[in-house]
Amino acid sequence: MTRSDRVASVVGLAAIALLACLPTRSLAQDQPAQVQPSADLIARGKYLTDMGDCVACHAAPGYPKFAGGQYMQMPFGDISTPNITPDKETGIGNYTDAQFIRLMQRGIMPDGSRIYPAMPYPWYAKVPKADLLAIKAYLFTLKPVHAARLPNKIWFPFTIRPAIALWDAFFVPGEEFKPDPSKSDEINRGAYIVEGLEHCGTCHNHWNLLGNTAIAGNVEGGAITRWYAPNLRNDDLTGIGRFSVDDLVSFFKYGHSKSMGTVAGPMSETIDESTMKLTDSDLHAISVYLKSLPVVAAYTPTDGRYRPDAMAAGRQVYLSHCASCHQDNGQGVSERIPALDGNGMVQAAGSQDVVRVVLGGLEARGPYGLMPGVGAAMSDKEIASVSNYVRQAWSNRAPANTTTLLVSLLRKDTHTLLNGSRPDGCPALAENDLAKVLDDSSNGIGALLQQTTEANLLQNANTIISKVRAVAPQIKREDLVNGLAIAYCPIVEKEPGLQESQRIWQLTHFADRVYVQLTTNGAY
Amino acid sequence: MRALTAPLELVALALRYSLAGIVAHPWRTRAWVVGLIAIALVFAFGSTLERLPVTSVQLGYRGTAMEAEYNPRLLKPEIEANRLLPALPAVPDAGIPSSKAYKNIKVLQTADANQFLRQMGAFANWINPAAGCAYCHSLNNMASDSLYTKTVTRRMIQMTREINTNWKAHVGGVGVTCYTCHRGNSIPQNVWFTEPPPGAGHGLAETGTGQGSPDKASGLTTLASDPFTPFLLNAMPIRVTGVSDLNIGNNASTKQAEWTYGLMMHFATSLGVACTYCHNTNNFASWDQGTPNRVPAWYGIRMVRDLNRNYMLPLTNVFPAGRKGPMGDVAKINCATCHQGAYKPFYGASDLAAYPLLAQRNTP
């Protein structure tokens, strides 16, 4: 740092200090501690980093993990996530322990400026310093990546960062998590995870813009980035009351369970990147803790408040687009198609999840099949009407609050492999066993996939699967279904003479065929 | 077709409410003023008066006004909306019949296994592309008949073959596929159900015989409702005019005449044509003075009746409750089911040759 740089930074920081009335420290004054952390500490740090789900935000397509580069959609604009690898220029390589803790617990950068609460520091404020330092020790073992932060896209007046201090004063808890001696150790462990690193309330709190405090509520469900995070309280109808602790553990571990169906939306990332990596005892603790919370109903069940004629119209749409898989009685097919009757997501107070799944479909997960983006062929009115129908049919009593406006808003925002709305083109196939099989030209699988059209996809899918199974029997069923769909995407896109809708359905038919062939093992 | 009915509905509605005002308060000047302004506005903006241009296609002798009129501006979107899907590419034979390759094949058992799969792919595209195979097949066991849709589809394949082989008098060599009616909808967009018996007082002017209320089937006229049950399900005579000069022995009622008119209105709206497409308005009944188009139309009526009776009615108990009409009857076929506003479905384009399995005769 040159002398003039230093002068400039001191002047700049002094200005920020005046605005924010906060103490400031220059980076240059603190040097990172040069203590070699133990392997145990690093392993614990890695576990806690997974628990904190840091990588969900601090990664983006085309960026290495933890190098940031993702835009988080907030109500006041888009915030880019920074690089948290130990790169000294663009990452956190120069952070001291004290700076790291202050950032994690108070949301204050080493230069004294405030960060936006897109970063869940109101939750990390409850995490003991020793745990945060373990995370830091782990992050510092990562390979430094040089990746400068992308510019934020935030609207005035939210660009006045010192104002965040006011928000912090109200909505950031003042002290670290303290176990409640009247509760069991397991409940306290669950509370520590849920209220701390796992930061469930960021989405599941009712007023999730109000941080991690009593007024924000505690996991009784809230809207987030145009999805709806359902009520996690133990209410039978509107919460997790119908699901056992084992159901919840299985859901956190695999993203599906017998009575809960499959996960959708941002929670699927949370499961893949975070809860899936936690120990069974921690998942058990989370579930027991959630079940121990006082029961709160997300809404008053609305039996029969929906107009009968609208219900009949919704049923027509249901019969046309949903009933063949989810069945007329809403029970689905055991271990193939999730039930909609009593489904937690369908029953959530907000109907965003139903609409988004109808619009975008779902990839295969565990034993459950892939859901087509059926909404691509349905009008906004049809989707609103069928969403209200499934939320009121059978034993479901959720408010019939889906409007065509909501559907049209969500349609603009729902881009998936399966609904043909892909502004960034076909997604890239992950570097995995399937990619290797498809790249290997000696087995002819890639070539066969290239020649697959709607006319021969039923027989080609069979051949492709038996060939893949012969060379790579270890690939999991859902990875094969999802992976082959991704691999087939660019081929369908290039096929000449097809209408856009035909491309969407051809891809879906292929993926469905792969799934059916794998589940029935050709037994027909 | 849809473009036409929207302004018509508006006309019917506005007329009804403006007349209602006058009828309710005939002594108030305001009711008359408002009512007459509304009626004038309806005729100025809401009626079927169309912006030019108009082209006409001659159908009969010159000077007889036997012509079909088209507005090219309005025809363009109709032509766009009535396009075939590109035919699926051909596939080589597998060399074994589908019944050897798969279980529980009941209709297409002699088809080559690969041609059978190709045809299945086409069904998915035609009927319910989003649900795909799952619309008819249980994902646990494709051979299972657990879904009602599979039972219906089998019968519909037989129906398609029946049309293509035994009703050439109506469909000619053009023929039909599932897509002719379905167009990607699990239930074709134009089907009909028997309507509940009319009750007096439903509408402002509705009578106990179903007259006096705008009826979609007869082009939103106030003719007697439901002209389909008598003619396209039952075989009531369509002709109501007498055949002798003094009209001896003709006891056809006004309601019967209105049903016939209603059916004719349905023919016209379903095909996007006027009366003169088949009839010479000099003498509607005369076969000699009409156009040859009347012959396939005559067979068409018989065909639809046959299909409704022998293919749709027997499926009544197969369909679940939500799929049936207000009287618990099965969805039935009329001209609009296939024609969808075009004088020939898809304006005469055909892809039946690409799907030979549907052009085969049913095995008894």
Side-chain angles (χ1 to χ4, degrees), chain A residues 142-285:
Chain A
L142 298 171
K143 191 169 162 269
V145 177
H146 190 89
R149 186 173 181 177
L150 301 172
N152 284 335
K153 301 171 188 166
I154 295 166
W155 311 325
F156 185 80
F158 299 105
T159 43
I160 308 172
R161 288 194 177 220
I164 302 170
L166 195 66
W167 186 92
D168 287 352
F170 283 103
F171 304 125
V172 180
E175 49 189 30
E176 292 171 8
F177 176 78
K178 284 203 183 67
D180 179 350
S182 68
K183 301 274 170 61
S184 72
D185 284 354
E186 188 172 41
I187 290 181
N188 275 315
R189 174 70 182 164
Y192 159 80
I193 299 172
V194 170
E195 292 173 28
L197 277 171
E198 200 59 77
H199 62 281
C200 308
T202 317
C203 298
H204 287 277
N205 277 1
H206 187 61
W207 302 105
N208 44 37
L209 289 176
L210 302 187
N212 186 16
T213 50
I215 39 171
N218 190 5
V219 298
E220 65 284 80
I224 185 89
T225 58
R226 294 187 174 173
W227 285 83
Y228 193 88
N231 182 10
L232 301 184
R233 298 296 190 96
N234 204 20
D235 185 53
D236 277 353
L237 196 62
T238 74
I240 57 169
R242 276 161 295 132
F243 312 126
S244 67
V245 168
D246 289 345
D247 277 333
L248 291 168
V249 170
S250 153
F251 191 76
F252 293 140
K253 201 169 174 186
Y254 307 110
H256 60 85
S257 78
K258 237 179 169 160
S259 59
M260 295 175 74
T262 53
V263 66
M267 186 68 191
S268 40
E269 273 173 33
T270 308
I271 284 173
D272 289 342
E273 302 289 357
S274 176
T275 60
M276 196 175 257
K277 297 175 179 170
L278 300 189
T279 60
D280 283 6
S281 64
D282 274 352
L283 295 180
H284 204 268

Side-chain angles (χ1 to χ4, degrees), chain B residues 290-361:
Chain B
T291 72
N293 294 332
R294 194 172 163 193
V295 179
W298 187 89
Y299 282 108
I301 297 165
R302 270 85 198 152
M303 178 186 84
V304 169
R305 203 180 279 156
D306 171 47
L307 303 180
N308 280 333
R309 284 182 179 189
N310 296 319
Y311 288 87
M312 298 315 302
L313 282 197
L315 289 173
T316 305
N317 292 329
V318 178
F319 281 98
R323 285 299 199 208
K324 295 186 199 172
M327 305 291 285
D329 60 330
V330 72
K332 287 176 286 296
I333 302 164
N334 58 23
C335 310
T337 314
C338 292
H339 281 269
Q340 316 214 15
Y343 74 105
K344 283 181 180 177
F346 305 111
Y347 293 97
S350 168
D351 61 350
L352 183 61
Y355 303 101
L357 291 179
L358 298 180
Q360 290 174 10
R361 201 163 283 281

Side-chain angles (χ1 to χ4, degrees), chain A residues 315-316 319-320 324-325 327-328 333 336-337 372 374 453-456 458-459 497 499 502 505 508-509 512-513 515-516 519-520 523-524, chain B residues 85-86 88-89 91 101-103 114 117-118 120-121 124-125 128-132 134-135 139-143 147 186 320-323:
Chain A
R315 182 173 157 70
Q316 279 295 322
L319 285 172
S320 290
S324 58
C325 288
Q327 308 298 314
D328 206 356
V333 179
R336 296 282 179 270
I337 317 276
V374 282
T453 65
E454 184 80 54
N456 60 16
L458 294 177
Q459 69 246 35
Q499 292 168 10
Q502 283 178 297
W505 307 130
T508 307
H509 295 167
D512 268 348
R513 176 62 170 187
Y515 173 75
V516 169
T519 46
T520 58
Y524 52 84
Chain B
L85 287 181
L88 294 187
V91 295
Y102 307 104
K103 291 181 194 140
N114 277 359
L117 289 186
R118 174 177 175 275
M120 287 291 148
N125 274 354
N128 192 333
Y135 189 61
L139 292 187
N140 264 337
N141 177 6
M142 300 290 262
L147 292 175
S186 38
R323 285 299 199 208

